[in-house]
Amino acid sequence: MRFPRRTALCFMIMVVHSSQATLNLNLESVVHPLILREHGLAEEDPLRQKRAVATNSAAAEEHTVDTEIGFENTSFLEPPKAHLNSLSFPLQGNSAGQATHILSVAVTTVCRPSGNEIWCSGETGYKWPQEKCLHSITCPEHDSSLTGHRCSCLKGLPSKGPFCQLQGDVTLRMSVRLDVGFQEELRNSSSALYRSYKTDLETAFRKGYSILPGFKLVTVTEFRPGSVVVDYEIKTMTPSLELMHRANEQVGKNLNHTYKVDDNSFHVVNNNETKLFAEPKTILEGDTVTVVCENEILSTNVSWYDVKMGSKIQNSSRFSVNTSVLNNMTSVSHLIIYNVTRGDAGEYICKLTLDIFEYWAKIKIDVKPMHISAKEETKVMCDNNPVFLNCCSVTNVSWSAIEWKQEGKISIPGNTETDLGSSCSRYTLKADGTQCPSGSAGTTVIYTCEFTSTHGARGSKNIEVTFTSVANLTITPDPISVSEGQNFSIKCSSDVSNYDEVYWNTSAGIKIYQRFYTARRYPDKAESVLTVKTATREWNGTYRCIFRYKSSYSVVTKDVTVHPLPLETSIVVDPLEATVSCKGSHRFQCCVEEDEDYRVTFQMESIIFPAAKEVNGKQVCYKYNFKASSVPWCSQKVDVFCRFTNTANNSVQSPSMKVHLVPEENIACQDPIIGAGEPEKVVQKLCQFSDIPSSPAGPTGGILTYKCVGSQWKVKRNDCIFAPINSLLQLAKALIKSPSQDQKLPKFLKNLSISTGKVQNEVKSSPGSLGAIISILDLLSTVPNQVNSDMMKHVLSTVNVILSQPILNTWKVFQQQRTNQSSQLLDSVERFSRAFQSEGNAISSVLHPHVQMKSMVVKSGHPNIYEQSFVFSDSDLRGSVVIDTCQLEHLQPGSSVVTMAFPTIKTILAQDAQGKNFADSLVMTTTVSHNITTPFRISMTFGNSNLLNRKLQCVFWNFDLANRTGGWDSSGCYITKHYENSVSCSCDHLTSFSILMSPDSPDPGSLLKILLDIISYIGLCFSILSLAACLVVEAVVWKSVTKNRTSYMRHICIANIAASLLVADIWFIVATAIHDYYYPLNETACVAATFFIHFFYLSVFFWMLTLGLMLLYRLVFILHDTSKSIQKTIAFSLGYGCPLVISIITVAATQPQEVYMRKNACWLNWEDTKALLAFVIPALIIVVVNVTTTVVVITKILRPSIGDKPSKQEKNSLFQISKSIGVLTPLLGLTWGFGLATVFQGSNAVFHIVFTLLNAFQGLFILLFGCLWDQKVQEALLNKFSLSRWSSQHSKSTSLGSSTPVFSMSSPLSRRFNNLFGKTGTYNVSTPETTSSSFENTSSAYSLLN
């Protein structure tokens, strides 16, 4: 600037004009006469910047013009400023064109001399733009600028650009305290007090803050306690600190003194001045994060706060705070967080404080984990081929380095290729045989890729690399040469333990079925063994053992020679058995299906006969005509067999043919084909050697059974198999020995389905053919690991035929023979269903009239609920299966759930002992293709129109019952709902399910069942309460009633009877609740409940027996006496020892076979082991003993007492008999005799009701007749709880001596008790201790009755 000492005044003029001419402003009137033109800056630069000088529009427009005026002396500044402030706007312009109006004129910038420099500062409300501050030199603060405001003054006027600019509006959040008491009405904005405070305060605020630049409005927002804290907001331009203080003073002056404003409590919060940002923008765990807080207020009084922790941040090992002022322009504070963690994420506040002003800003920091993606495991073959290890960061940030490290027993380095821009790195390994010696094959080396960000975060990923050498294989060195029927094995060993797959195949490339070989891995090697238990001609050839690792194969071969030799099972003999007269003859033959060079001989005992060969088509028979005269014995049974020897000198022996040599006169039947036989002789003959015509399809299979009736052979049983089915049976037997059986199976199942359909009419009259089909299915079901949809369709097509209505009559033969073909069929179908795998994820279904199948594949994630329904309209049967989602989530993804329903199989499954078929519903089988490792629950509904008045039970088919012939079992299943035409079941396992209905058992809703339940539960409640009361009474009166030995032992028995019965009843209720409310039966808890019920109920009986024997002992052996300790020892041994021994023996003998309990209740088993007899027999024996005791006791009581009158004696005797029966019957268990009839099925309902009634109330009987009927107990209770007058009367009574009883006819209360218990006179029920021994014993025995 050419005039550095001059003073400049800069204006901003707002004008409005509508002229197309150039704007020409005459400011002479404004500045005259103060402007010295010859010296003014205006001459040099009269218009530094013209914002808009022309317009092409005639419409009124607004323009802003910056103007600079220079003064010689700084004293000239104030008059123009005062003059400008006095003007009234708008001003009319004098342009020659259209009208131009000046809207406002404001002084923005003032430049003053300061020493040798010119300082230019903004007026109030104006500041230099940011770009000017960055490129100019600032000057120190001066009084007219905003204290602490950055860049308020520049040294020299910038050559270009605008002057100081008007600041934008800011909202200042302020507060002030009034030293008056806070009233709750100030919280309510609708209250009069609130409105009064608000009006007065806002009025004072407007007057006081109107002096602020750009002031617009002030609003009171809230009143808070703390005296009264007023929160308010001001909308204005950024004021200076000095001006804010003056405004606050004006507020205090303008406000009524009753408000008691605290002048030192003004506080200002301004958020507009602070900038807050963090580096880096994407923050990873481990980074060093710098949060920068910039403010135009020049102050170092900055604080940082952690919002989540609610605390101020101090300098520490992980946090660093430093604040400085840069270039006298900006206050900058840095918060540095070292090694940031996920826990450091959250909001942070930067707060700058200057006098009453507070500037703050908030920032939220998100910390992300470092995710590095890489394949965690890989295998490298040491074959010098490159293998790439790749690592990439999921988060794309700025990385400073990506490094690779390795750790392991061997060192195999690689080459690194890194692209920091893509956040990926590749490590190339190229291992050869020298780097992977044979001993290190299978060694794992950990390669680590480590990422380091530019801000210090580190992350790594480990990749396990397993180095594998090319395997060297060795195989069994010895030559393998076997004959058919023999076994062999081949061992193939690898010097490398790592492989992906091991398998065997033939030289033709046919893969061997995996059931024939095993593979095993060792630390430094691996091996596979091919084992063949029964070699056939199919095994003849060359076999290859193959170890595969990725795309590398190691192969070794072995030749196997199988010499022809018939299998024992393929040699057909005739006859199976024969009767030969001692002078007669018979032809024996052994036939095979192939013509080979065999040496065949027949052998009988030690005699060997040559065989003649005869070829008949494909069948070759070796025959010998045996003459009985050629052997030195007769009337003897011998075995004949033929021996086949092949070229390898291996031999096989045929099944034996049984020959019975008998005298000729014993022969009754004679036939050239069947042979001779004795009367009633039964023989079996192969159908192909009988008189049944042969078939072109092959020989007929099966056996015919003949019986010699009179002089003729009669067919007793026909089990012949039609030729097509017999051929399939032989092929099935060969298939399961074939090395490629899994590949042959699909075609075989298709042929079986077609053949079965063709011979359906023949099968319905041939049990042998039906049994052969079942055997074929059973054999084939052991083959597959996986069954596809087509295979399953063929299986179910075959099953549909053999379960059709016309063939059901054929099944009755099997039922009469009590064979397990029905269970075998069901088991076979289940095996096929477990191997079934549906293609894709669709639901598969196969629908036939007599079998239906539906399945679903379990998807990963959240599988859909499994719900399948089946309807068989012809048989009026329906059913559904439901498995909820939570159960399916435990299954492996990809598992198949298969359900099959059978409407007719119920008629062929096993029957009960009475020959009545229990299963009268649909049979549904549900299986899962993978093993279930967690408890599994399935729900089913069975629909049938014949469910009324039947006892229902949910059952499953247990293949292990009845010597593995199968039977219905209810374990783990229970009924959940029962409707008129359907019943719902729930089971905790999978197999074949149905329901049982027993017409002999009462229906759950029948009157008899309800009556028995009511009697049982009410009686048990009364019994438990009564027994508890009995024990309480015994405890209260114990000392009073046990003064002599007899009474003592009697009450010992009564107390233990009550205690045992109480515990037994409690266990009985627990066990009943488990059963009746369908709680899942925990086996251990159920065993415990059964044991304790058995033990304590037996204890009740044995204590009753002890009581009876003790009574008998006292009445019969009057002169004999035994000490109290001996009696107690005997009593406890008998009362608890015997039941314990019986209970332990019972559980030990039956629980290992899991037949201790019933299947559906916690009680002793009856159906399988008759374990219930361990309770019934002791109980009945005790009943018999106690009946005998009762007879003896009554006989003793009937002896007339000396001195009594005949009539009175007779009356007393009758009373004593009645009383004895009434007391002894419940106490000694005679009522349990009614239970004898209830053990057996079909017992009369009366026995059930009487037995339930008497035994349920037995506790009540014991309380009444065993405890309260005792006169001594009555006296003790009255003495314990009587009033004073009864105590006085009792004292008088006892003073009379022992001859007068406590209860006599003269006492009113005594008369009531005597009448209640049948007493009509006075009885002496005890004898003083001073009496003789014999009399004491007699009176004590009578006391026991009382």
Side-chain angles (χ1 to χ4, degrees):
M1 193 175 289
R2 289 183 299 170
F3 304 99
R5 302 291 300 170
R6 299 296 178 91
T7 300
L9 186 67
C10 301
F11 296 88
M12 179 182 69
I13 304 174
M14 301 288 294
V15 298
V16 175
H17 74 102
S18 55
S19 172
Q20 296 183 358
T22 301
L23 180 63
N24 182 19
L25 291 178
N26 183 4
L27 297 178
E28 184 177 355
S29 61
V30 177
V31 299
H32 180 79
L34 301 176
I35 299 178
L36 304 178
R37 295 186 179 274
E38 65 276 18
H39 301 294
L41 293 175
E43 294 177 359
E44 177 186 358
D45 192 4
L47 189 62
R48 292 178 56 93
Q49 182 178 0
K50 186 180 295 182
R51 294 289 176 90
V53 296
T55 179
N56 294 324
S57 174
E61 295 183 1
E62 182 178 301
H63 300 273
T64 301
V65 180
D66 288 343
T67 303
E68 179 183 335
I69 302 175
F71 297 94
E72 186 69 27
N73 196 317
T74 58
S75 61
F76 295 158
L77 288 174
E78 295 304 322
K81 291 169 64 176
H83 179 72
L84 290 174
N85 290 333
S86 65
L87 295 177
S88 297
F89 295 97
L91 299 176
Q92 300 294 330
N94 55 0
S95 173
Q98 296 184 7
T100 301
H101 305 286
I102 299 176
L103 301 180
S104 66
V105 177
V107 179
T108 62
T109 310
V110 176
C111 294
R112 295 182 177 86
S114 178
N116 296 325
E117 300 173 338
I118 294 292
W119 289 5
C120 297
S121 60
E123 288 294 281
T124 301
Y126 293 85
K127 65 178 181 180
W128 287 106
Q130 178 71 14
E131 62 271 16
K132 295 294 183 183
C133 295
L134 292 176
H135 300 92
S136 304
I137 301 174
T138 60
C139 53
E141 299 176 359
H142 53 91
D143 294 340
S144 64
S145 65
L146 176 62
T147 303
H149 197 284
R150 72 173 181 87
C151 199
S152 59
C153 176
L154 297 180
K155 291 183 179 181
L157 192 67
S159 59
K160 295 180 180 181
F163 299 117
C164 292
Q165 301 296 304
L166 182 66
Q167 299 181 50
D169 290 340
V170 297
T171 300
L172 303 179
R173 292 185 289 111
M174 299 187 63
S175 65
V176 65
R177 187 176 69 253
L178 310 179
D179 291 332
V180 295
F182 183 83
Q183 302 180 47
E184 288 299 321
E185 291 183 48
L186 293 177
R187 299 183 189 273
N188 183 7
S189 60
S190 302
S191 66
L193 183 63
Y194 182 96
R195 292 195 298 270
S196 174
Y197 267 59
K198 181 178 174 66
T199 302
D200 294 346
L201 288 169
E202 287 182 349
T203 301
F205 289 156
R206 276 193 295 272
K207 292 179 180 179
Y209 295 119
S210 62
I211 65 174
L212 298 181
F215 172 78
K216 292 185 177 180
L217 60 89
V218 61
T219 304
V220 174
T221 58
E222 186 184 12
F223 296 100
R224 294 182 285 119
S227 296
V228 174
V229 178
V230 183
D231 292 331
Y232 56 100
E233 293 181 352
I234 299 175
K235 191 169 184 180
T236 180
M237 298 179 188
T238 303
S240 66
L241 182 61
E242 178 185 354
L243 192 60
M244 180 59 74
H245 278 301
R246 289 207 308 269
N248 290 339
E249 291 176 1
Q250 292 299 319
V251 169
K253 293 177 181 179
N254 292 324
L255 192 62
N256 194 304
H257 292 294
T258 58
Y259 285 100
K260 298 181 180 180
V261 175
D262 185 350
D263 296 331
N264 297 320
S265 65
F266 285 96
H267 183 72
V268 185
V269 176
N270 186 357
N271 296 340
N272 297 39
E273 304 292 335
T274 305
K275 290 175 60 179
L276 199 58
F277 59 91
E279 283 292 336
K281 293 182 179 179
T282 302
I283 301 173
L284 301 177
E285 283 187 282
D287 272 335
T288 296
V289 180
T290 302
V291 186
V292 181
C293 179
E294 291 185 357
N295 202 303
E296 297 177 352
I297 306 302
L298 305 182
S299 173
T300 59
N301 187 17
V302 178
S303 301
W304 291 85
Y305 297 89
D306 186 339
V307 176
K308 182 170 63 177
M309 301 300 295
S311 59
K312 183 178 180 181
I313 298 175
Q314 304 292 341
N315 283 318
S316 64
S317 60
R318 293 196 60 243
F319 295 93
S320 175
V321 177
N322 60 80
T323 306
S324 61
V325 176
L326 300 180
N327 298 328
N328 201 29
M329 295 167 49
T330 307
S331 172
V332 180
S333 182
H334 295 86
L335 169 64
I336 302 175
I337 307 174
Y338 301 99
N339 193 21
V340 71
T341 65
R342 300 287 294 277
D344 295 326
E347 293 183 330
Y348 292 82
I349 293 177
C350 171
K351 183 185 295 184
L352 183 148
T353 304
L354 180 67
D355 199 272
I356 66 173
F357 280 88
E358 184 179 280
Y359 304 87
W360 66 276
K362 183 188 297 184
I363 189 172
K364 184 176 182 181
I365 292 178
D366 291 324
V367 181
K368 298 181 178 180
M370 186 180 295
H371 290 299
I372 299 174
S373 64
K375 185 179 179 181
E376 297 183 358
E377 295 181 1
T378 189
K379 296 179 180 180
V380 175
M381 179 67 69
C382 297
D383 54 3
N384 209 32
N385 288 321
V387 176
F388 304 106
L389 308 182
N390 294 297
C391 262
C392 289
S393 170
V394 177
T395 307
N396 191 11
V397 298
S398 178
W399 301 104
S400 63
I402 303 177
E403 298 177 345
W404 287 84
K405 301 175 182 179
Q406 62 171 303
E407 181 180 353
K409 293 182 179 180
I410 59 176
S411 176
I412 301 180
N415 298 321
T416 304
E417 299 177 34
T418 299
D419 182 5
L420 295 177
S422 63
S423 301
C424 287
S425 179
R426 184 169 73 177
Y427 196 73
T428 305
L429 291 172
K430 198 172 182 181
D432 56 30
T434 60
Q435 295 172 306
C436 302
S438 60
S440 64
T443 300
T444 298
V445 178
I446 305 297
Y447 286 83
T448 304
C449 58
E450 185 176 77
F451 284 66
T452 304
S453 74
T454 55
H455 291 84
R458 289 178 179 270
S460 62
K461 189 73 171 182
N462 292 337
I463 303 175
E464 292 187 4
V465 178
T466 303
F467 292 93
T468 304
S469 302
V470 177
N472 295 316
L473 303 184
T474 57
I475 202 163
T476 303
D478 299 331
I480 298 177
S481 177
V482 297
S483 295
E484 286 188 90
Q486 295 181 331
N487 62 72
F488 69 89
S489 63
I490 309 173
K491 180 186 288 187
C492 174
S493 299
S494 167
D495 62 348
V496 175
S497 62
N498 272 20
Y499 58 84
D500 289 334
E501 183 184 13
V502 177
Y503 61 93
W504 294 73
N505 64 13
T506 66
S507 56
I510 300 175
K511 203 169 184 179
I512 304 301
Y513 190 37
Q514 61 184 20
R515 69 158 52 181
F516 291 106
Y517 60 87
T518 60
R520 191 171 182 182
R521 196 191 308 266
Y522 297 95
D524 57 348
K525 66 175 184 177
E527 69 178 25
S528 179
V529 179
L530 174 68
T531 303
V532 179
K533 295 181 179 179
T534 305
T536 63
R537 255 176 262 191
E538 281 193 74
W539 287 99
N540 189 69
T542 301
Y543 292 89
R544 302 193 301 172
C545 171
I546 302 171
F547 276 72
R548 183 186 66 83
Y549 179 77
K550 290 190 175 180
S551 58
S552 299
Y553 295 84
S554 298
V555 183
V556 64
T557 62
K558 187 67 179 178
D559 292 330
V560 176
T561 302
V562 180
H563 299 280
L565 186 68
L567 301 177
E568 179 183 356
T569 56
S570 64
I571 301 174
V572 181
V573 298
D574 180 62
L576 298 176
E577 54 181 322
T579 301
V580 182
S581 68
C582 294
K583 296 180 181 180
S585 64
H586 197 92
R587 186 183 66 177
F588 294 93
Q589 61 180 337
C590 295
C591 300
V592 292
E593 290 296 324
E594 67 279 343
D595 185 9
E596 295 289 346
D597 186 14
Y598 298 131
R599 187 172 67 255
V600 183
T601 58
F602 285 85
Q603 184 172 343
M604 178 184 294
E605 296 291 333
S606 59
I607 304 174
I608 298 176
F609 307 100
K613 181 178 178 181
E614 180 180 303
V615 180
N616 183 12
K618 293 182 179 180
Q619 192 175 61
V620 180
C621 294
Y622 297 87
K623 302 179 179 181
Y624 176 72
N625 191 22
F626 169 71
K627 294 182 179 180
S629 59
S630 62
V631 296
W633 58 78
C634 190
S635 300
Q636 185 175 340
K637 292 182 179 180
V638 294
D639 289 338
V640 178
F641 58 86
C642 54
R643 182 180 298 276
F644 288 74
T645 304
N646 63 3
T647 55
N649 206 29
N650 297 124
S651 62
V652 63
Q653 182 176 295
S654 71
S656 64
M657 295 168 277
K658 301 185 181 300
V659 179
H660 187 196
L661 299 173
V662 298
E664 188 173 358
E665 58 270 16
N666 293 348
I667 300 297
C669 297
Q670 187 74 43
D671 186 89
I673 297 176
I674 304 173
E678 301 167 287
E680 302 299 320
K681 176 69 176 180
V682 176
V683 297
Q684 291 183 328
K685 194 170 186 67
L686 292 178
C687 296
Q688 72 178 84
F689 298 117
S690 67
D691 54 0
I692 295 178
S694 60
S695 170
T700 303
I703 295 175
L704 272 171
T705 304
Y706 295 92
K707 183 177 182 181
C708 180
V709 180
S711 61
Q712 299 292 326
W713 288 105
K714 301 292 185 182
V715 176
K716 182 180 180 182
R717 180 173 159 188
N718 186 343
D719 290 323
C720 290
I721 305 172
F722 290 111
I725 302 299
N726 184 56
S727 298
L728 288 174
L729 178 60
Q730 303 308 316
L731 290 175
K733 292 178 180 179
L735 183 142
I736 62 173
K737 299 181 179 69
S738 171
S740 55
Q741 52 189 257
D742 56 329
Q743 300 175 35
K744 296 180 179 180
L745 182 62
K747 184 177 180 181
F748 192 97
L749 289 174
K750 181 179 180 180
N751 293 337
L752 175 64
S753 174
I754 295 172
S755 299
T756 305
K758 290 180 178 179
V759 298
Q760 179 176 1
N761 293 329
E762 290 81 0
V763 171
K764 67 181 179 182
S765 60
S766 174
S769 298
L770 177 60
I773 295 174
I774 296 170
S775 298
I776 293 172
L777 289 173
D778 185 51
L779 289 170
L780 299 181
S781 66
T782 63
V783 173
N785 281 336
Q786 185 170 333
V787 174
N788 59 33
S789 297
D790 289 337
M791 295 166 65
M792 199 58 154
K793 289 177 182 177
H794 296 318
V795 170
L796 295 183
S797 175
T798 303
V799 173
N800 179 66
V801 171
I802 62 178
L803 290 181
S804 61
Q805 291 291 343
I807 300 181
L808 291 183
N809 289 331
T810 311
W811 284 94
K812 293 181 180 179
V813 177
F814 297 142
Q815 291 176 318
Q816 294 169 359
Q817 298 169 359
R818 296 195 173 275
T819 55
N820 68 334
Q821 272 86 353
S822 56
S823 181
Q824 187 179 20
L825 172 64
L826 195 59
D827 193 19
S828 303
V829 174
E830 280 196 24
R831 283 198 292 268
F832 277 114
S833 67
R834 280 192 290 269
F836 177 70
Q837 287 292 332
S838 177
E839 290 82 0
N841 295 326
I843 295 178
S844 300
S845 63
V846 178
L847 305 179
H848 289 290
H850 308 297
V851 60
Q852 294 181 7
M853 185 206 78
K854 295 182 180 180
S855 69
M856 183 188 78
V857 178
V858 178
K859 300 179 181 179
S860 58
H862 299 284
N864 297 325
I865 189 172
Y866 179 78
E867 186 172 7
Q868 307 293 350
S869 299
F870 303 91
V871 177
F872 295 90
S873 55
D874 293 342
S875 54
D876 192 24
L877 294 176
R878 63 191 183 279
S880 63
V881 174
V882 177
I883 304 176
D884 58 29
T885 303
C886 65
Q887 300 291 331
L888 296 176
E889 288 175 348
H890 297 296
L891 300 179
Q892 297 181 24
S895 299
S896 291
V897 183
V898 182
T899 300
M900 287 181 286
F902 309 90
T904 58
I905 202 172
K906 65 181 181 294
T907 62
I908 64 174
L909 287 173
Q911 300 174 336
D912 65 348
Q914 286 75 32
K916 300 175 182 176
N917 197 310
F918 265 58
D920 190 16
S921 71
L922 202 64
V923 176
M924 293 187 291
T925 296
T926 301
T927 59
V928 174
S929 59
H930 292 84
N931 291 332
I932 300 174
T933 58
T934 58
F936 199 85
R937 184 152 294 281
I938 180 174
S939 300
M940 295 155 290
T941 300
F942 298 90
N944 193 334
S945 59
N946 187 24
L947 297 180
L948 294 177
N949 301 320
R950 310 291 291 272
K951 179 183 178 182
L952 302 180
Q953 188 177 17
C954 297
V955 291
F956 72 96
W957 187 257
N958 189 339
F959 295 99
D960 296 328
L961 293 181
N963 294 323
R964 300 195 177 275
T965 60
W968 294 113
D969 191 349
S970 61
S971 300
C973 297
Y974 56 89
I975 295 176
T976 57
K977 295 179 181 178
H978 184 192
Y979 302 105
E980 181 178 353
N981 293 324
S982 65
V983 59
S984 296
C985 299
S986 180
C987 296
D988 59 6
H989 51 81
L990 298 180
T991 184
S992 299
F993 301 96
S994 186
I995 55 173
L996 293 187
M997 309 177 196
S998 174
D1000 294 331
S1001 300
D1003 184 76
S1006 65
L1007 180 61
L1008 175 59
K1009 183 66 169 59
I1010 295 174
L1011 179 62
L1012 291 176
D1013 287 343
I1014 293 174
I1015 294 174
S1016 297
Y1017 284 110
I1018 294 178
L1020 282 172
C1021 291
F1022 273 105
S1023 181
I1024 290 174
L1025 294 175
S1026 301
L1027 292 169
C1030 181
L1031 292 175
V1032 171
V1033 170
E1034 287 291 333
V1036 170
V1037 304
W1038 186 262
K1039 292 183 179 179
S1040 302
V1041 299
T1042 58
K1043 293 182 179 179
N1044 62 63
R1045 195 170 301 157
T1046 302
S1047 296
Y1048 179 81
M1049 290 306 300
R1050 175 186 183 272
H1051 286 280
I1052 284 286
C1053 293
I1054 292 296
N1056 280 280
I1057 289 172
S1060 298
L1061 188 57
L1062 176 63
V1063 177
D1065 286 347
I1066 293 173
W1067 272 105
F1068 182 81
I1069 289 178
V1070 172
T1072 303
I1074 293 176
H1075 173 58
D1076 286 352
Y1077 295 98
Y1078 308 115
Y1079 297 142
L1081 293 181
N1082 182 292
E1083 184 175 355
T1084 304
C1086 204
V1087 169
T1090 303
F1091 177 83
F1092 285 115
I1093 292 173
H1094 186 200
F1095 170 70
F1096 283 108
Y1097 272 135
L1098 278 180
S1099 297
V1100 173
F1101 277 101
F1102 276 91
W1103 276 107
M1104 290 178 178
L1105 177 63
T1106 303
L1107 182 61
L1109 294 178
M1110 190 264 293
L1111 176 61
L1112 182 64
Y1113 167 76
R1114 280 298 183 188
L1115 289 175
V1116 177
F1117 302 99
I1118 298 176
L1119 300 177
H1120 188 271
D1121 194 14
T1122 307
S1123 66
K1124 185 185 297 185
S1125 60
I1126 294 177
Q1127 292 185 31
K1128 284 174 60 178
T1129 301
I1130 296 174
F1132 277 92
S1133 299
L1134 190 61
Y1136 291 121
C1138 292
L1140 184 61
V1141 171
I1142 295 173
S1143 301
I1144 291 176
I1145 292 175
T1146 304
V1147 71
T1150 57
Q1151 181 56 26
Q1153 290 78 35
E1154 297 184 354
V1155 287
Y1156 176 58
M1157 306 172 299
R1158 298 186 181 186
K1159 300 299 181 183
N1160 58 345
C1162 299
W1163 185 226
L1164 297 173
N1165 188 293
W1166 173 256
E1167 293 82 3
D1168 299 323
T1169 60
K1170 302 295 186 291
L1172 183 60
L1173 294 177
F1175 174 72
V1176 173
I1177 292 176
L1180 294 181
I1181 292 175
I1182 292 173
V1183 168
V1184 172
V1185 172
N1186 283 337
V1187 168
T1188 305
T1189 302
T1190 303
V1191 174
V1192 174
V1193 170
I1194 292 175
T1195 303
K1196 294 291 290 182
I1197 293 175
L1198 282 174
R1199 293 178 181 176
S1201 301
I1202 300 175
D1204 288 344
K1205 295 180 181 180
S1207 60
K1208 183 178 181 180
Q1209 187 180 47
E1210 182 180 358
K1211 187 176 182 180
N1212 290 341
S1213 297
L1214 292 173
F1215 164 72
Q1216 289 171 352
I1217 294 171
S1218 302
K1219 180 179 178 181
S1220 298
I1221 294 175
V1223 173
L1224 292 176
T1225 298
L1227 290 182
L1228 304 182
L1230 292 182
T1231 53
W1232 288 85
F1234 287 101
L1236 177 62
T1238 65
V1239 175
F1240 305 102
Q1241 187 175 3
S1243 58
N1244 194 291
V1246 175
F1247 291 101
H1248 287 271
I1249 295 175
V1250 173
F1251 174 70
T1252 303
L1253 185 64
L1254 292 178
N1255 284 280
F1257 287 92
Q1258 194 170 23
L1260 181 61
F1261 297 157
I1262 290 175
L1263 174 64
L1264 295 177
F1265 301 118
C1267 186
L1268 297 181
W1269 205 345
D1270 190 343
Q1271 185 175 349
K1272 287 186 177 182
V1273 174
Q1274 298 171 16
E1275 294 172 4
L1277 288 175
L1278 286 176
N1279 289 337
K1280 198 79 174 178
F1281 303 106
S1282 62
L1283 300 175
S1284 58
R1285 67 188 187 91
W1286 294 115
S1287 298
S1288 174
Q1289 181 178 350
H1290 176 65
S1291 300
K1292 294 178 182 179
S1293 300
T1294 53
S1295 66
L1296 296 176
S1298 61
S1299 60
T1300 305
V1302 176
F1303 286 97
S1304 64
M1305 293 295 293
S1306 61
S1307 169
L1309 183 59
S1310 175
R1311 188 179 302 112
R1312 293 191 185 95
F1313 270 97
N1314 290 332
N1315 290 335
L1316 175 62
F1317 295 108
K1319 296 177 184 284
T1320 57
T1322 303
Y1323 298 92
N1324 186 6
V1325 295
S1326 63
T1327 304
E1329 296 292 336
T1330 57
T1331 59
S1332 64
S1333 175
S1334 62
F1335 188 69
E1336 177 187 348
N1337 291 335
T1338 304
S1339 62
S1340 297
Y1342 277 73
S1343 174
L1344 180 63
L1345 294 177
N1346 294 327

